[in-house]
Amino acid sequence: MGQFSELLKIEDCKLFQYFIVAYNNTSGSSIIDYKKIELVSLAETTLSLTLPKNSCAVGHSLTLYVSSVAKNVKVKKLTNNQTLPGTYAFTAKVDHLGTAADGLISAEMHLTNFTRSEWEEITKKYFERQQQINALFQALRKAKEFEGK
Protein backbone atom coordinates (compact mmCIF):
# COMPACT_ATOMS: atom_id res chain seq x y z
CA MET A 1 0.00 0.00 0.00
CA GLY A 2 1.42 3.41 -0.95
CA GLN A 3 1.68 6.63 0.99
CA PHE A 4 -1.14 9.17 1.12
CA SER A 5 0.45 11.30 -1.58
CA GLU A 6 0.53 8.29 -3.91
CA LEU A 7 -3.19 7.67 -3.37
CA LEU A 8 -4.27 11.24 -4.12
CA LYS A 9 -4.85 12.39 -7.65
CA ILE A 10 -5.52 15.95 -8.78
CA GLU A 11 -9.04 15.04 -9.95
CA ASP A 12 -9.81 13.76 -6.43
CA CYS A 13 -9.28 17.26 -5.07
CA LYS A 14 -11.59 19.02 -7.50
CA LEU A 15 -14.71 20.29 -5.85
CA PHE A 16 -18.16 19.26 -6.95
CA GLN A 17 -19.61 22.65 -7.60
CA TYR A 18 -22.65 24.22 -9.09
CA PHE A 19 -23.11 27.97 -9.22
CA ILE A 20 -26.54 29.17 -8.15
CA VAL A 21 -28.51 32.41 -8.17
CA ALA A 22 -32.14 32.77 -7.22
CA TYR A 23 -35.20 34.90 -7.67
CA ASN A 24 -37.54 35.10 -4.68
CA ASN A 25 -40.97 34.83 -6.32
CA THR A 26 -42.71 35.77 -3.07
CA SER A 27 -40.83 38.98 -2.28
CA GLY A 28 -39.75 39.87 -5.82
CA SER A 29 -36.09 40.13 -4.82
CA SER A 30 -32.97 38.75 -6.47
CA ILE A 31 -30.29 36.70 -4.75
CA ILE A 32 -27.44 37.15 -7.21
CA ASP A 33 -24.25 36.80 -5.16
CA TYR A 34 -23.56 33.25 -6.31
CA LYS A 35 -20.47 33.10 -4.09
CA LYS A 36 -22.76 33.21 -1.04
CA ILE A 37 -25.09 30.46 -2.26
CA GLU A 38 -23.91 26.92 -1.71
CA LEU A 39 -25.56 23.59 -2.35
CA VAL A 40 -25.21 21.66 0.91
CA SER A 41 -27.21 18.54 0.16
CA LEU A 42 -29.88 17.20 -2.12
CA ALA A 43 -32.21 14.25 -2.36
CA GLU A 44 -34.94 13.03 -4.68
CA THR A 45 -36.95 16.28 -4.68
CA THR A 46 -35.42 18.24 -1.80
CA LEU A 47 -32.32 20.31 -1.30
CA SER A 48 -30.50 22.37 1.27
CA LEU A 49 -28.68 25.60 0.48
CA THR A 50 -26.82 28.28 2.34
CA LEU A 51 -28.08 31.72 1.38
CA PRO A 52 -27.44 35.32 2.43
CA LYS A 53 -29.31 36.30 5.59
CA ASN A 54 -32.79 37.82 5.05
CA SER A 55 -33.00 36.52 1.47
CA CYS A 56 -36.08 34.38 2.10
CA ALA A 57 -38.51 33.10 4.71
CA VAL A 58 -40.36 29.86 5.38
CA GLY A 59 -43.08 29.44 2.77
CA HIS A 60 -41.35 31.59 0.15
CA SER A 61 -41.09 30.31 -3.41
CA LEU A 62 -37.67 30.62 -5.07
CA THR A 63 -36.65 30.08 -8.66
CA LEU A 64 -33.14 28.65 -8.60
CA TYR A 65 -30.84 29.02 -11.60
CA VAL A 66 -28.13 26.36 -11.51
CA SER A 67 -25.05 25.98 -13.72
CA SER A 68 -21.68 24.27 -13.59
CA VAL A 69 -20.18 27.43 -15.16
CA ALA A 70 -19.97 30.61 -13.06
CA LYS A 71 -20.31 33.02 -15.99
CA ASN A 72 -23.79 31.64 -16.72
CA VAL A 73 -25.10 33.01 -13.41
CA LYS A 74 -23.28 36.35 -13.35
CA VAL A 75 -26.19 38.76 -13.51
CA LYS A 76 -26.93 42.20 -12.10
CA LYS A 77 -30.60 41.49 -11.49
CA LEU A 78 -33.17 38.76 -11.94
CA THR A 79 -36.80 39.19 -12.87
CA ASN A 80 -39.85 36.96 -12.66
CA ASN A 81 -39.79 34.10 -15.21
CA GLN A 82 -36.38 35.13 -16.55
CA THR A 83 -34.35 32.63 -18.53
CA LEU A 84 -30.60 32.37 -18.14
CA PRO A 85 -28.86 30.51 -20.99
CA GLY A 86 -26.72 27.60 -19.82
CA THR A 87 -28.63 27.12 -16.56
CA TYR A 88 -31.23 24.76 -15.20
CA ALA A 89 -34.20 26.52 -13.59
CA PHE A 90 -36.08 24.94 -10.70
CA THR A 91 -38.77 26.35 -8.45
CA ALA A 92 -38.67 25.38 -4.78
CA LYS A 93 -40.61 26.24 -1.63
CA VAL A 94 -38.69 26.98 1.58
CA ASP A 95 -39.67 24.54 4.35
CA HIS A 96 -37.19 25.38 7.11
CA LEU A 97 -34.53 27.99 7.90
CA GLY A 98 -31.56 27.78 10.23
CA THR A 99 -28.44 29.77 10.95
CA ALA A 100 -25.13 29.20 9.23
CA ALA A 101 -21.74 30.85 9.59
CA ASP A 102 -20.71 34.30 8.40
CA GLY A 103 -24.12 35.96 8.12
CA LEU A 104 -25.62 33.15 6.09
CA ILE A 105 -28.72 31.04 6.65
CA SER A 106 -29.40 27.42 5.84
CA ALA A 107 -32.57 26.79 3.88
CA GLU A 108 -34.23 23.43 3.38
CA MET A 109 -36.71 23.33 0.52
CA HIS A 110 -38.63 21.03 -1.76
CA LEU A 111 -39.02 21.32 -5.51
CA THR A 112 -42.41 22.44 -6.76
CA ASN A 113 -41.72 23.00 -10.47
CA PHE A 114 -38.87 21.25 -12.25
CA THR A 115 -37.91 19.11 -15.21
CA ARG A 116 -37.23 15.67 -13.77
CA SER A 117 -34.50 14.77 -16.28
CA GLU A 118 -32.55 17.96 -15.49
CA TRP A 119 -32.84 17.41 -11.74
CA GLU A 120 -31.79 13.76 -12.14
CA GLU A 121 -28.70 14.89 -14.06
CA ILE A 122 -27.66 17.12 -11.17
CA THR A 123 -28.42 14.51 -8.50
CA LYS A 124 -26.54 11.83 -10.46
CA LYS A 125 -23.40 14.01 -10.62
CA TYR A 126 -23.77 14.87 -6.94
CA PHE A 127 -24.06 11.24 -5.83
CA GLU A 128 -21.24 10.09 -8.12
CA ARG A 129 -18.96 12.69 -6.54
CA GLN A 130 -20.03 11.56 -3.06
CA GLN A 131 -19.10 7.96 -3.98
CA GLN A 132 -15.69 9.13 -5.24
CA ILE A 133 -15.06 10.97 -1.98
CA ASN A 134 -16.12 7.94 0.08
CA ALA A 135 -13.82 5.66 -1.94
CA LEU A 136 -10.93 8.07 -1.42
CA PHE A 137 -11.48 8.15 2.35
CA GLN A 138 -11.65 4.35 2.46
CA ALA A 139 -8.38 4.09 0.55
CA LEU A 140 -6.73 6.63 2.86
CA ARG A 141 -8.03 4.79 5.94
CA LYS A 142 -6.65 1.46 4.65
CA ALA A 143 -3.29 3.08 3.86
CA LYS A 144 -3.13 4.54 7.38
CA GLU A 145 -3.99 1.16 8.93
CA PHE A 146 -1.34 -0.53 6.77
CA GLU A 147 1.32 2.01 7.75
CA GLY A 148 0.44 1.50 11.44
CA LYS A 149 1.26 -2.24 11.25
PDB file of all heavy atoms in Angstrom, residues 20-47:
ATOM      1  N   ILE A  20     -25.099  28.975  -8.281  1.00  0.00           N
ATOM      2  CA  ILE A  20     -26.538  29.166  -8.148  1.00  0.00           C
ATOM      3  C   ILE A  20     -26.857  30.630  -7.859  1.00  0.00           C
ATOM      4  O   ILE A  20     -26.189  31.265  -7.039  1.00  0.00           O
ATOM      5  CB  ILE A  20     -27.092  28.293  -6.995  1.00  0.00           C
ATOM      6  CG1 ILE A  20     -26.748  26.824  -7.222  1.00  0.00           C
ATOM      7  CG2 ILE A  20     -28.604  28.482  -6.842  1.00  0.00           C
ATOM      8  CD1 ILE A  20     -27.022  25.930  -6.016  1.00  0.00           C
ATOM      9  N   VAL A  21     -27.877  31.140  -8.527  1.00  0.00           N
ATOM     10  CA  VAL A  21     -28.508  32.410  -8.174  1.00  0.00           C
ATOM     11  C   VAL A  21     -29.993  32.122  -8.056  1.00  0.00           C
ATOM     12  O   VAL A  21     -30.474  31.081  -8.514  1.00  0.00           O
ATOM     13  CB  VAL A  21     -28.228  33.538  -9.202  1.00  0.00           C
ATOM     14  CG1 VAL A  21     -26.754  33.942  -9.168  1.00  0.00           C
ATOM     15  CG2 VAL A  21     -28.654  33.138 -10.606  1.00  0.00           C
ATOM     16  N   ALA A  22     -30.724  33.034  -7.441  1.00  0.00           N
ATOM     17  CA  ALA A  22     -32.143  32.767  -7.217  1.00  0.00           C
ATOM     18  C   ALA A  22     -32.971  34.033  -7.315  1.00  0.00           C
ATOM     19  O   ALA A  22     -32.494  35.137  -7.043  1.00  0.00           O
ATOM     20  CB  ALA A  22     -32.336  32.122  -5.843  1.00  0.00           C
ATOM     21  N   TYR A  23     -34.214  33.830  -7.685  1.00  0.00           N
ATOM     22  CA  TYR A  23     -35.202  34.902  -7.670  1.00  0.00           C
ATOM     23  C   TYR A  23     -36.259  34.499  -6.658  1.00  0.00           C
ATOM     24  O   TYR A  23     -36.809  33.397  -6.731  1.00  0.00           O
ATOM     25  CB  TYR A  23     -35.829  35.091  -9.055  1.00  0.00           C
ATOM     26  CG  TYR A  23     -36.880  36.167  -9.066  1.00  0.00           C
ATOM     27  CD1 TYR A  23     -36.512  37.511  -9.072  1.00  0.00           C
ATOM     28  CD2 TYR A  23     -38.231  35.854  -9.049  1.00  0.00           C
ATOM     29  CE1 TYR A  23     -37.468  38.512  -9.074  1.00  0.00           C
ATOM     30  CE2 TYR A  23     -39.197  36.848  -9.054  1.00  0.00           C
ATOM     31  CZ  TYR A  23     -38.810  38.171  -9.056  1.00  0.00           C
ATOM     32  OH  TYR A  23     -39.763  39.160  -9.043  1.00  0.00           O
ATOM     33  N   ASN A  24     -36.520  35.374  -5.688  1.00  0.00           N
ATOM     34  CA  ASN A  24     -37.540  35.105  -4.682  1.00  0.00           C
ATOM     35  C   ASN A  24     -38.879  35.539  -5.269  1.00  0.00           C
ATOM     36  O   ASN A  24     -39.175  36.720  -5.358  1.00  0.00           O
ATOM     37  CB  ASN A  24     -37.225  35.842  -3.380  1.00  0.00           C
ATOM     38  CG  ASN A  24     -38.165  35.483  -2.261  1.00  0.00           C
ATOM     39  OD1 ASN A  24     -39.346  35.241  -2.487  1.00  0.00           O
ATOM     40  ND2 ASN A  24     -37.640  35.449  -1.044  1.00  0.00           N
ATOM     41  N   ASN A  25     -39.676  34.545  -5.689  1.00  0.00           N
ATOM     42  CA  ASN A  25     -40.969  34.832  -6.323  1.00  0.00           C
ATOM     43  C   ASN A  25     -41.946  35.481  -5.353  1.00  0.00           C
ATOM     44  O   ASN A  25     -42.841  36.219  -5.778  1.00  0.00           O
ATOM     45  CB  ASN A  25     -41.582  33.534  -6.868  1.00  0.00           C
ATOM     46  CG  ASN A  25     -40.681  32.867  -7.876  1.00  0.00           C
ATOM     47  OD1 ASN A  25     -40.288  33.462  -8.860  1.00  0.00           O
ATOM     48  ND2 ASN A  25     -40.330  31.619  -7.613  1.00  0.00           N
ATOM     49  N   THR A  26     -41.791  35.232  -4.073  1.00  0.00           N
ATOM     50  CA  THR A  26     -42.707  35.767  -3.070  1.00  0.00           C
ATOM     51  C   THR A  26     -42.434  37.244  -2.793  1.00  0.00           C
ATOM     52  O   THR A  26     -43.351  38.052  -2.753  1.00  0.00           O
ATOM     53  CB  THR A  26     -42.608  34.934  -1.767  1.00  0.00           C
ATOM     54  OG1 THR A  26     -42.807  33.556  -2.091  1.00  0.00           O
ATOM     55  CG2 THR A  26     -43.634  35.383  -0.745  1.00  0.00           C
ATOM     56  N   SER A  27     -41.173  37.586  -2.609  1.00  0.00           N
ATOM     57  CA  SER A  27     -40.831  38.975  -2.276  1.00  0.00           C
ATOM     58  C   SER A  27     -40.445  39.806  -3.489  1.00  0.00           C
ATOM     59  O   SER A  27     -40.357  41.030  -3.401  1.00  0.00           O
ATOM     60  CB  SER A  27     -39.687  39.005  -1.262  1.00  0.00           C
ATOM     61  OG  SER A  27     -38.476  38.561  -1.870  1.00  0.00           O
ATOM     62  N   GLY A  28     -40.157  39.138  -4.621  1.00  0.00           N
ATOM     63  CA  GLY A  28     -39.745  39.868  -5.820  1.00  0.00           C
ATOM     64  C   GLY A  28     -38.298  40.323  -5.784  1.00  0.00           C
ATOM     65  O   GLY A  28     -37.904  41.192  -6.549  1.00  0.00           O
ATOM     66  N   SER A  29     -37.489  39.721  -4.928  1.00  0.00           N
ATOM     67  CA  SER A  29     -36.088  40.128  -4.818  1.00  0.00           C
ATOM     68  C   SER A  29     -35.160  39.106  -5.477  1.00  0.00           C
ATOM     69  O   SER A  29     -35.502  37.943  -5.632  1.00  0.00           O
ATOM     70  CB  SER A  29     -35.707  40.312  -3.349  1.00  0.00           C
ATOM     71  OG  SER A  29     -35.875  39.103  -2.643  1.00  0.00           O
ATOM     72  N   SER A  30     -33.988  39.599  -5.851  1.00  0.00           N
ATOM     73  CA  SER A  30     -32.966  38.755  -6.475  1.00  0.00           C
ATOM     74  C   SER A  30     -31.909  38.379  -5.450  1.00  0.00           C
ATOM     75  O   SER A  30     -31.542  39.184  -4.599  1.00  0.00           O
ATOM     76  CB  SER A  30     -32.280  39.515  -7.616  1.00  0.00           C
ATOM     77  OG  SER A  30     -33.202  39.865  -8.612  1.00  0.00           O
ATOM     78  N   ILE A  31     -31.407  37.168  -5.565  1.00  0.00           N
ATOM     79  CA  ILE A  31     -30.291  36.702  -4.753  1.00  0.00           C
ATOM     80  C   ILE A  31     -29.197  36.341  -5.754  1.00  0.00           C
ATOM     81  O   ILE A  31     -29.143  35.221  -6.257  1.00  0.00           O
ATOM     82  CB  ILE A  31     -30.690  35.481  -3.889  1.00  0.00           C
ATOM     83  CG1 ILE A  31     -32.004  35.753  -3.148  1.00  0.00           C
ATOM     84  CG2 ILE A  31     -29.571  35.120  -2.912  1.00  0.00           C
ATOM     85  CD1 ILE A  31     -32.666  34.508  -2.588  1.00  0.00           C
ATOM     86  N   ILE A  32     -28.348  37.313  -6.076  1.00  0.00           N
ATOM     87  CA  ILE A  32     -27.437  37.154  -7.210  1.00  0.00           C
ATOM     88  C   ILE A  32     -25.966  36.965  -6.839  1.00  0.00           C
ATOM     89  O   ILE A  32     -25.144  36.753  -7.717  1.00  0.00           O
ATOM     90  CB  ILE A  32     -27.570  38.336  -8.185  1.00  0.00           C
ATOM     91  CG1 ILE A  32     -27.274  39.653  -7.479  1.00  0.00           C
ATOM     92  CG2 ILE A  32     -28.945  38.336  -8.830  1.00  0.00           C
ATOM     93  CD1 ILE A  32     -27.145  40.832  -8.416  1.00  0.00           C
ATOM     94  N   ASP A  33     -25.643  37.032  -5.559  1.00  0.00           N
ATOM     95  CA  ASP A  33     -24.255  36.802  -5.165  1.00  0.00           C
ATOM     96  C   ASP A  33     -24.011  35.303  -5.084  1.00  0.00           C
ATOM     97  O   ASP A  33     -24.106  34.691  -4.027  1.00  0.00           O
ATOM     98  CB  ASP A  33     -23.954  37.477  -3.826  1.00  0.00           C
ATOM     99  CG  ASP A  33     -22.474  37.449  -3.488  1.00  0.00           C
ATOM    100  OD1 ASP A  33     -21.682  36.771  -4.198  1.00  0.00           O
ATOM    101  OD2 ASP A  33     -22.087  38.098  -2.501  1.00  0.00           O
ATOM    102  N   TYR A  34     -23.701  34.701  -6.236  1.00  0.00           N
ATOM    103  CA  TYR A  34     -23.555  33.248  -6.313  1.00  0.00           C
ATOM    104  C   TYR A  34     -22.447  32.710  -5.411  1.00  0.00           C
ATOM    105  O   TYR A  34     -22.444  31.533  -5.067  1.00  0.00           O
ATOM    106  CB  TYR A  34     -23.348  32.788  -7.765  1.00  0.00           C
ATOM    107  CG  TYR A  34     -22.031  33.234  -8.368  1.00  0.00           C
ATOM    108  CD1 TYR A  34     -20.896  32.460  -8.247  1.00  0.00           C
ATOM    109  CD2 TYR A  34     -21.941  34.429  -9.070  1.00  0.00           C
ATOM    110  CE1 TYR A  34     -19.697  32.855  -8.810  1.00  0.00           C
ATOM    111  CE2 TYR A  34     -20.751  34.837  -9.629  1.00  0.00           C
ATOM    112  CZ  TYR A  34     -19.628  34.048  -9.500  1.00  0.00           C
ATOM    113  OH  TYR A  34     -18.441  34.451 -10.043  1.00  0.00           O
ATOM    114  N   LYS A  35     -21.534  33.556  -4.990  1.00  0.00           N
ATOM    115  CA  LYS A  35     -20.467  33.102  -4.089  1.00  0.00           C
ATOM    116  C   LYS A  35     -20.989  32.869  -2.674  1.00  0.00           C
ATOM    117  O   LYS A  35     -20.327  32.222  -1.869  1.00  0.00           O
ATOM    118  CB  LYS A  35     -19.331  34.119  -4.079  1.00  0.00           C
ATOM    119  CG  LYS A  35     -18.618  34.206  -5.416  1.00  0.00           C
ATOM    120  CD  LYS A  35     -17.551  35.259  -5.413  1.00  0.00           C
ATOM    121  CE  LYS A  35     -16.911  35.349  -6.807  1.00  0.00           C
ATOM    122  NZ  LYS A  35     -15.941  36.413  -6.896  1.00  0.00           N
ATOM    123  N   LYS A  36     -22.167  33.395  -2.364  1.00  0.00           N
ATOM    124  CA  LYS A  36     -22.761  33.206  -1.042  1.00  0.00           C
ATOM    125  C   LYS A  36     -23.876  32.166  -1.045  1.00  0.00           C
ATOM    126  O   LYS A  36     -24.555  31.993  -0.045  1.00  0.00           O
ATOM    127  CB  LYS A  36     -23.299  34.529  -0.514  1.00  0.00           C
ATOM    128  CG  LYS A  36     -22.197  35.518  -0.182  1.00  0.00           C
ATOM    129  CD  LYS A  36     -22.752  36.742   0.468  1.00  0.00           C
ATOM    130  CE  LYS A  36     -21.615  37.687   0.853  1.00  0.00           C
ATOM    131  NZ  LYS A  36     -22.131  38.900   1.476  1.00  0.00           N
ATOM    132  N   ILE A  37     -24.077  31.497  -2.168  1.00  0.00           N
ATOM    133  CA  ILE A  37     -25.089  30.457  -2.262  1.00  0.00           C
ATOM    134  C   ILE A  37     -24.374  29.136  -2.491  1.00  0.00           C
ATOM    135  O   ILE A  37     -23.624  28.991  -3.456  1.00  0.00           O
ATOM    136  CB  ILE A  37     -26.083  30.729  -3.412  1.00  0.00           C
ATOM    137  CG1 ILE A  37     -26.749  32.087  -3.226  1.00  0.00           C
ATOM    138  CG2 ILE A  37     -27.120  29.611  -3.488  1.00  0.00           C
ATOM    139  CD1 ILE A  37     -27.622  32.498  -4.400  1.00  0.00           C
ATOM    140  N   GLU A  38     -24.598  28.199  -1.603  1.00  0.00           N
ATOM    141  CA  GLU A  38     -23.910  26.917  -1.712  1.00  0.00           C
ATOM    142  C   GLU A  38     -24.898  25.774  -1.558  1.00  0.00           C
ATOM    143  O   GLU A  38     -25.737  25.772  -0.666  1.00  0.00           O
ATOM    144  CB  GLU A  38     -22.830  26.812  -0.633  1.00  0.00           C
ATOM    145  CG  GLU A  38     -22.020  25.556  -0.729  1.00  0.00           C
ATOM    146  CD  GLU A  38     -20.921  25.501   0.316  1.00  0.00           C
ATOM    147  OE1 GLU A  38     -20.523  26.551   0.848  1.00  0.00           O
ATOM    148  OE2 GLU A  38     -20.470  24.391   0.619  1.00  0.00           O
ATOM    149  N   LEU A  39     -24.775  24.805  -2.448  1.00  0.00           N
ATOM    150  CA  LEU A  39     -25.564  23.586  -2.349  1.00  0.00           C
ATOM    151  C   LEU A  39     -24.945  22.718  -1.266  1.00  0.00           C
ATOM    152  O   LEU A  39     -23.788  22.335  -1.351  1.00  0.00           O
ATOM    153  CB  LEU A  39     -25.560  22.845  -3.685  1.00  0.00           C
ATOM    154  CG  LEU A  39     -26.270  21.505  -3.727  1.00  0.00           C
ATOM    155  CD1 LEU A  39     -27.765  21.680  -3.493  1.00  0.00           C
ATOM    156  CD2 LEU A  39     -26.024  20.836  -5.079  1.00  0.00           C
ATOM    157  N   VAL A  40     -25.711  22.451  -0.212  1.00  0.00           N
ATOM    158  CA  VAL A  40     -25.212  21.660   0.911  1.00  0.00           C
ATOM    159  C   VAL A  40     -25.558  20.197   0.730  1.00  0.00           C
ATOM    160  O   VAL A  40     -24.717  19.318   0.905  1.00  0.00           O
ATOM    161  CB  VAL A  40     -25.778  22.191   2.252  1.00  0.00           C
ATOM    162  CG1 VAL A  40     -25.329  21.331   3.413  1.00  0.00           C
ATOM    163  CG2 VAL A  40     -25.377  23.638   2.455  1.00  0.00           C
ATOM    164  N   SER A  41     -26.796  19.925   0.376  1.00  0.00           N
ATOM    165  CA  SER A  41     -27.211  18.540   0.157  1.00  0.00           C
ATOM    166  C   SER A  41     -28.433  18.524  -0.748  1.00  0.00           C
ATOM    167  O   SER A  41     -29.112  19.533  -0.919  1.00  0.00           O
ATOM    168  CB  SER A  41     -27.536  17.858   1.488  1.00  0.00           C
ATOM    169  OG  SER A  41     -28.668  18.453   2.083  1.00  0.00           O
ATOM    170  N   LEU A  42     -28.682  17.359  -1.321  1.00  0.00           N
ATOM    171  CA  LEU A  42     -29.879  17.196  -2.121  1.00  0.00           C
ATOM    172  C   LEU A  42     -30.342  15.758  -2.047  1.00  0.00           C
ATOM    173  O   LEU A  42     -29.586  14.867  -1.703  1.00  0.00           O
ATOM    174  CB  LEU A  42     -29.677  17.655  -3.566  1.00  0.00           C
ATOM    175  CG  LEU A  42     -28.506  17.113  -4.369  1.00  0.00           C
ATOM    176  CD1 LEU A  42     -28.830  15.753  -4.945  1.00  0.00           C
ATOM    177  CD2 LEU A  42     -28.210  18.065  -5.487  1.00  0.00           C
ATOM    178  N   ALA A  43     -31.598  15.575  -2.345  1.00  0.00           N
ATOM    179  CA  ALA A  43     -32.207  14.253  -2.359  1.00  0.00           C
ATOM    180  C   ALA A  43     -33.151  14.188  -3.554  1.00  0.00           C
ATOM    181  O   ALA A  43     -33.055  15.012  -4.467  1.00  0.00           O
ATOM    182  CB  ALA A  43     -32.928  13.988  -1.047  1.00  0.00           C
ATOM    183  N   GLU A  44     -34.088  13.257  -3.519  1.00  0.00           N
ATOM    184  CA  GLU A  44     -34.944  13.030  -4.681  1.00  0.00           C
ATOM    185  C   GLU A  44     -35.645  14.299  -5.167  1.00  0.00           C
ATOM    186  O   GLU A  44     -35.586  14.629  -6.337  1.00  0.00           O
ATOM    187  CB  GLU A  44     -35.962  11.945  -4.382  1.00  0.00           C
ATOM    188  CG  GLU A  44     -36.719  11.514  -5.610  1.00  0.00           C
ATOM    189  CD  GLU A  44     -37.608  10.328  -5.370  1.00  0.00           C
ATOM    190  OE1 GLU A  44     -37.285   9.498  -4.505  1.00  0.00           O
ATOM    191  OE2 GLU A  44     -38.627  10.239  -6.039  1.00  0.00           O
ATOM    192  N   THR A  45     -36.296  15.021  -4.285  1.00  0.00           N
ATOM    193  CA  THR A  45     -36.946  16.284  -4.683  1.00  0.00           C
ATOM    194  C   THR A  45     -36.764  17.369  -3.625  1.00  0.00           C
ATOM    195  O   THR A  45     -37.557  18.304  -3.540  1.00  0.00           O
ATOM    196  CB  THR A  45     -38.454  16.089  -4.952  1.00  0.00           C
ATOM    197  OG1 THR A  45     -39.061  15.574  -3.764  1.00  0.00           O
ATOM    198  CG2 THR A  45     -38.705  15.169  -6.125  1.00  0.00           C
ATOM    199  N   THR A  46     -35.717  17.245  -2.821  1.00  0.00           N
ATOM    200  CA  THR A  46     -35.425  18.243  -1.800  1.00  0.00           C
ATOM    201  C   THR A  46     -33.974  18.675  -1.899  1.00  0.00           C
ATOM    202  O   THR A  46     -33.143  17.978  -2.471  1.00  0.00           O
ATOM    203  CB  THR A  46     -35.697  17.702  -0.378  1.00  0.00           C
ATOM    204  OG1 THR A  46     -34.839  16.576  -0.149  1.00  0.00           O
ATOM    205  CG2 THR A  46     -37.144  17.306  -0.202  1.00  0.00           C
ATOM    206  N   LEU A  47     -33.685  19.829  -1.331  1.00  0.00           N
ATOM    207  CA  LEU A  47     -32.318  20.313  -1.301  1.00  0.00           C
ATOM    208  C   LEU A  47     -32.129  21.246  -0.128  1.00  0.00           C
ATOM    209  O   LEU A  47     -33.086  21.753   0.450  1.00  0.00           O
ATOM    210  CB  LEU A  47     -31.945  21.014  -2.600  1.00  0.00           C
ATOM    211  CG  LEU A  47     -32.638  22.319  -2.950  1.00  0.00           C
ATOM    212  CD1 LEU A  47     -31.706  23.165  -3.800  1.00  0.00           C
ATOM    213  CD2 LEU A  47     -33.902  22.041  -3.715  1.00  0.00           C
TER     214      LEU A  47
END
